[in-house]
């Protein structure tokens, strides 16, 4: 797998291909259901090819509120579908693979929030990474993504910030905002947490001219080796705009599809560590499941919260969109 991905160089083949038969089938099913297909950068390339819009979690959350279609099919993990439903309660939201979950989304306990609020009172903001359950969002004051976490936290009036659930992104925010007291939770993304520092150093030695572009969900030691730290979309944009020719990509391998597409014709090369980071949940979302979802309406997302909790969770997401737009 390392050789396969390291050997990719973008050329004319990096352009998006749309299998005509599949595209016609998807278009027909979308029209019948008044549906739009959104896909995350981490899902399989063939799923991204069939989507109407591809992006990171912030882009998809923001976009979902603006679309006219009555049905949103979200090719991503469970928390993404939940966020789309919270922001669009009047619409039908479908997940091609409802069992595709995010382990980190569950890595926070209510008592952590209660203890922090008891300790710091009104001078505490509970900031919830969007990679979280609906329930965790309902305990929080505002949601963030990796692309806007620093900006939003900097604008909060509270000095104390409890950052849930990801300790690595929370630590990165704390480093950027020394005037804030950031309290870290114990959660983490298993895919980014497992990226090997030794393998990264080996890769840097093998490609000394390559720039290292890393996601802030990575460990502190790995981020210390990075030339650029940013969200998935930030990594893509940085690589596309850079004059460099080689890049070491320190995030989930699904991003390679959009990197190749955006950098087509530039002769750029992208490398991953020997143990290529992959998300088994994103990998579970296939073209077959997308078609079945559109055909049958399976995988409908329900809001499993009572009215007050649902409103609090939706308010945390709405506040994120509001603060990020300033």
């Amino acid at each position: 797998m390392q050789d396969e991905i390291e050997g990719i160089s973008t050329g004319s083949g990096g352009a998006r291909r749309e299998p005509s038969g599949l595209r016609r089938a998807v278009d027909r099913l979308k029209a019948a259901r008044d549906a739009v297909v959104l896909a995350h950068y981490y899902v399989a390339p063939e799923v991204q090819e069939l989507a109407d819009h591809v992006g990171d979690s912030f882009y998809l959350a923001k976009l979902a509120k603006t679309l006219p279609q009555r049905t949103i099919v979200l090719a991503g993990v469970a928390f993404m579908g939940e966020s789309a439903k919270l922001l669009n309660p009047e619409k039908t939201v479908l997940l091609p693979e409802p069992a595709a979950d995010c382990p980190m989304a569950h890595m926070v306990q209510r008592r952590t929030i209660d203890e922090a609020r008891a300790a710091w009172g009104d001078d505490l903001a509970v900031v919830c990474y969007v990679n979280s359950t609906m329930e965790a969002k309902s305990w929080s004051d505002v949601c963030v993504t990796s692309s806007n976490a620093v900006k939003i936290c900097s604008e909060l009036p509270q000095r104390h910030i409890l950052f849930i659930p990801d300790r690595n992104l929370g630590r990165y925010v704390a480093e950027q905002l020394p005037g804030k007291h950031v309290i870290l939770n114990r959660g983490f993304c298993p895919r980014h947490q497992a990226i090997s520092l030794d393998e990264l150093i080996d890769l840097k030695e093998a490609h000394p001219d390559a720039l290292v572009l890393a996601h802030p969900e990575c460990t502190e030691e790995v981020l210390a080796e990075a030339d650029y730290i940013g969200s998935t979309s930030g990594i893509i944009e940085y690589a596309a705009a850079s004059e460099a020719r080689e890049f070491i990509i320190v995030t989930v391998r699904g991003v390679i599809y959009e990197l190749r597409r955006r950098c087509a014709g530039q002769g750029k090369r992208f490398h991953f560590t020997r143990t290529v980071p992959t998300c088994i949940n994103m990998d579970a979302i296939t073209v077959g499941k997308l078609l079945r979802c559109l055909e049958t309406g399976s995988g409908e997302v329900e809001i499993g919260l009572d009215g007050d909790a649902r409103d609090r969770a939706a308010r945390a997401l709405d506040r994120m969109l509001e603060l990020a737009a300033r």
Side-chain angles (χ1 to χ4, degrees), residues 115-134:
E115 289 171 0
R117 290 201 188 279
W120 288 285
D122 292 339
D123 198 25
L124 175 84
V126 179
V127 174
C128 186
Y129 193 18
V130 75
N131 302 35
S132 56
T133 63
M134 282 193 282

Side-chain angles (χ1 to χ4, degrees), residues 5 71 86 92 110 131-132 144-145 157 169 213-214 217 223 279 281 283 316:
I5 292 181
T71 300
L86 284 166
T92 299
R110 178 59 188 265
N131 302 35
S132 56
V144 297
T145 68
L169 180 56
L213 314 184
E217 288 181 19
L223 293 185
C279 176
N281 289 289
D283 290 347

